[in-house]
Amino acid sequence: MEEHVLEMKNITMQFGGVVAVNNLSLEVNNGEIVSLIGPNGAGKTTAFNVITGVYAPTNGAVYFNGNQIVENFPRGKMKKLYAGSNRGDFTKHLEPTPDVITKLGIARTFQNIRLWKSQTVFTNVLIAKHLRRTSNIITATFRLNRKEEKKQREETAELLKILGLYEVRDELCTSLPYGLQRRLEIARALATNPTFLLLDEPAAGMNPQETAELTDFIRRIRDEFHLTVLMIEHHMDLVMDISDRIYVLNFGSLIANGTPEEIQNNPKVISAYLGESED
């Protein structure tokens, strides 16, 4: 049996009395591009936040490369408030912070671009490289980390060349066209040396030509960097073109999963997300 790169097991995320995600289970296998789709407010970004340690789930567990990285169960006031599924199935409290999750090899982008606005293109990527540095305050103060810093600067330059951003390396990131800012955010994520990449609406705000270019770009980085990709996206042309498999959320619950062809022809998906046919 093929081991999953990522597995979410019965994840429920509840905020007060609101169940944002209820009993979500999904798997992503090595080398796949998998999309998570659904209407606004369906719980997609909440699921990303659980995977990356921004939120501790109210209930459920997450596994990465066969190792459990997250688990939680209703505690404190949530014991009485809990309205999700699978109460009592989980008993451990395992809540790593986002930096710990990133060091495991999981990187992400955001729905709203979150670049360091006062920094250049080069510095945005170099700062992300620092996640893997071995220096400390002593070695940095006395410049004992010169070799490591030089290597990271060389790696940053090479990454920018690969991704077509080297020519704008000295420009402020905010001066870039929107499409290049999106590409830079992906470059920054890649600078952390991930094996699993989460893309939160990477085509948001792009025109059709930019979206087509992004589709080719995502495939290329998947292949060149040997990545597995989980993507949230509303551009259905991109989703159907690039995805190996698709999961569909509606009101926090999983309503369908399958290949693009299966999802396109699923009556629940058509009703909840893609719209009813006029025929």
Side-chain angles (χ1 to χ4, degrees), residues 48-276:
F48 267 33
N49 286 338
V50 169
I51 295 170
T52 55
V54 177
Y55 297 151
T58 310
N59 199 48
V62 179
Y63 297 81
F64 182 58
N65 288 328
N67 299 310
Q68 187 179 40
I69 61 172
V70 172
E71 183 174 336
N72 205 11
F73 60 96
R75 295 174 293 129
K77 293 181 180 180
M78 190 54 67
K79 286 182 179 179
K80 293 183 178 180
L81 287 174
Y82 188 67
S85 305
N86 302 97
R87 181 190 289 270
D89 286 2
F90 300 91
T91 58
K92 291 192 296 186
H93 177 220
L94 184 59
E95 185 183 347
T97 54
D99 62 307
V100 172
I101 295 289
T102 306
K103 287 178 181 178
L104 293 175
I106 299 176
R108 71 173 293 181
T109 64
F110 294 87
Q111 182 177 346
N112 298 314
I113 294 176
R114 297 186 183 180
L115 298 171
W116 290 295
K117 296 179 180 180
S118 64
Q119 301 297 321
T120 65
V121 169
F122 188 91
T123 306
N124 261 273
V125 177
L126 179 61
I127 290 172
K129 278 279 180 189
H130 289 169
L131 178 80
R132 301 293 179 183
R133 68 184 178 186
T134 59
S135 61
N136 55 43
I137 189 170
I138 300 299
T139 56
T141 299
F142 293 100
R143 298 290 293 147
L144 302 177
N145 64 332
R146 288 189 298 274
K147 289 184 178 179
E148 183 178 49
E149 183 69 18
K150 180 182 178 183
K151 181 181 179 183
Q152 289 191 334
R153 294 183 72 88
E154 290 172 347
E155 290 173 347
T156 296
E158 184 61 27
L159 180 58
L160 292 176
K161 289 176 182 177
I162 292 171
L163 301 185
L165 293 168
Y166 187 74
E167 297 301 320
V168 294
R169 64 192 181 279
D170 295 324
E171 294 187 22
L172 280 178
C173 63
T174 51
S175 70
L176 298 182
Y178 186 82
L180 288 185
Q181 288 189 38
R182 282 285 179 190
R183 185 172 294 205
L184 174 58
E185 191 175 38
I186 294 174
R188 188 178 61 179
L190 294 176
T192 66
N193 296 332
T195 57
F196 188 75
L197 180 63
L198 297 95
L199 302 174
D200 193 346
E201 296 194 35
M206 290 187 177
N207 61 41
Q209 180 179 345
E210 289 172 333
T211 301
E213 291 172 355
L214 178 68
T215 302
D216 294 337
F217 180 70
I218 293 172
R219 281 201 187 97
R220 182 165 70 86
I221 62 171
R222 186 271 305 267
D223 296 339
E224 290 188 16
F225 292 88
H226 308 292
L227 297 171
T228 301
V229 179
L230 178 62
M231 178 178 67
I232 295 171
E233 189 49 69
H234 285 295
H235 282 62
M236 298 312 299
D237 288 343
L238 188 157
V239 169
M240 296 302 169
D241 185 21
I242 203 172
S243 303
D244 295 301
R245 294 183 298 111
I246 300 169
Y247 288 87
V248 187
L249 281 178
N250 194 32
F251 294 108
S253 296
L254 186 67
I255 61 169
N257 70 85
T259 64
E261 183 178 2
E262 290 169 339
I263 294 301
Q264 282 180 312
N265 294 294
N266 187 301
K268 290 183 179 179
V269 178
I270 293 171
S271 176
Y273 188 69
L274 298 179
E276 297 285 359

